[in-house]
Amino acid sequence: MGRFSLLVRKTLIVFSLSLPLYGAEVDGVKLKDKMICGGVELPLVAAGLRDATIFNIRVYVLAMYAPTVVTSLKDPNAEKRPMCFEVHYLRDVEKAKVDEAWEFQFKGSSEYPYPKLAEDIKLLQKFFGEIKADEGIHLFELLENSTKVYETGEYKGEIPRKEFGKNFISVFYGKNPPTKELREALRKGKK
């Protein structure tokens, strides 16, 4: 009996170690506790929900993996790389709306304009098609001199300028974020 219970305990320990660890759950989306980003294991530091309209239509959950929480664009931590943003879509979005949303958000929020920003936004739009709810996960890997983009684990391409990553962060932390509630959730960090 003693050997059997020891075997059961060891099996349960091995099984529990193989389960994914979740760092948070936001609106039913379970977010990983850690992620490999730019070859470095980073913790989940913040997450929030982007909803829209007075009817609070759920659009996506945004997870941020970074060395530490970023409290504002002036925070020195906003410059640390690598940093990853993972977007879990909660509703279907047609390609034209995806393109429109990226253009609108960058134009309204980018606080660090540079001559090739419009070109880089067009490149970003080429990476994505229509989004299917609960299937679409976009990952933005902000590196020292570029931003790599993935869709549901598939590498889509790279935007080869450091300035784009800085502007990407300003979309969520800048003067006109998708919602002020999402910006505040990112500033507060993971609870």
Side-chain angles (χ1 to χ4, degrees):
M1 190 70 157
R3 283 183 159 190
F4 179 73
S5 65
L6 182 61
L7 178 62
V8 169
R9 279 188 282 178
K10 284 182 179 179
T11 302
L12 288 174
I13 290 170
V14 168
F15 178 73
S16 67
L17 290 174
S18 67
L19 293 175
L21 297 175
Y22 295 106
E25 184 172 328
V26 177
D27 206 58
V29 176
K30 291 181 180 176
L31 303 169
K32 296 176 287 230
D33 187 42
K34 295 178 181 171
M35 168 184 287
I36 301 297
C37 177
V40 177
E41 185 176 72
L42 295 175
L44 172 67
V45 294
L49 173 68
R50 177 4 174 161
D51 56 10
T53 76
I54 59 171
F55 302 110
N56 294 324
I57 296 170
R58 301 170 24 222
V59 181
Y60 59 78
V61 169
L62 179 71
M64 181 179 178
Y65 295 85
T68 188
V69 173
V70 174
T71 57
S72 72
L73 291 176
K74 293 180 181 176
D75 183 340
N77 293 320
E79 298 291 327
K80 292 184 179 175
R81 301 292 183 270
M83 179 184 297
C84 279
F85 288 84
E86 189 175 60
V87 184
H88 295 257
Y89 289 91
L90 304 173
R91 60 184 310 236
D92 295 347
V93 185
E94 61 190 54
K95 175 156 178 48
K97 293 283 185 192
V98 174
D99 290 349
E100 183 182 306
W102 281 120
E103 191 152 337
F104 173 81
Q105 208 58 60
F106 271 95
K107 284 186 178 178
S109 301
S110 293
E111 298 201 16
Y112 308 104
Y114 59 99
K116 296 199 174 211
L117 179 58
E119 180 182 318
D120 288 347
I121 293 168
K122 293 286 183 208
L123 180 58
L124 176 68
Q125 291 168 327
K126 288 180 184 179
F127 294 151
F128 302 120
E130 177 183 20
I131 294 170
K132 292 290 185 189
D134 300 323
E135 292 176 15
I137 300 173
H138 292 168
L139 177 67
F140 301 88
E141 189 177 44
L142 282 60
L143 304 171
E144 192 61 40
N145 294 307
S146 68
T147 299
K148 291 185 178 182
V149 181
Y150 301 82
E151 182 174 38
T152 317
E154 180 185 340
Y155 176 71
K156 301 304 271 185
E158 184 171 6
I159 299 170
R161 277 175 270 289
K162 179 178 188 168
E163 297 88 355
F164 181 81
K166 197 169 182 174
N167 276 281
F168 186 88
I169 293 171
S170 76
V171 163
F172 300 102
Y173 283 87
K175 58 189 175 220
N176 294 311
T179 66
K180 290 179 181 173
E181 293 80 12
L182 177 58
R183 180 176 60 195
E184 288 310 306
L186 295 175
R187 285 177 173 175
K188 288 179 185 173
K190 186 179 116 180
K191 299 290 177 191

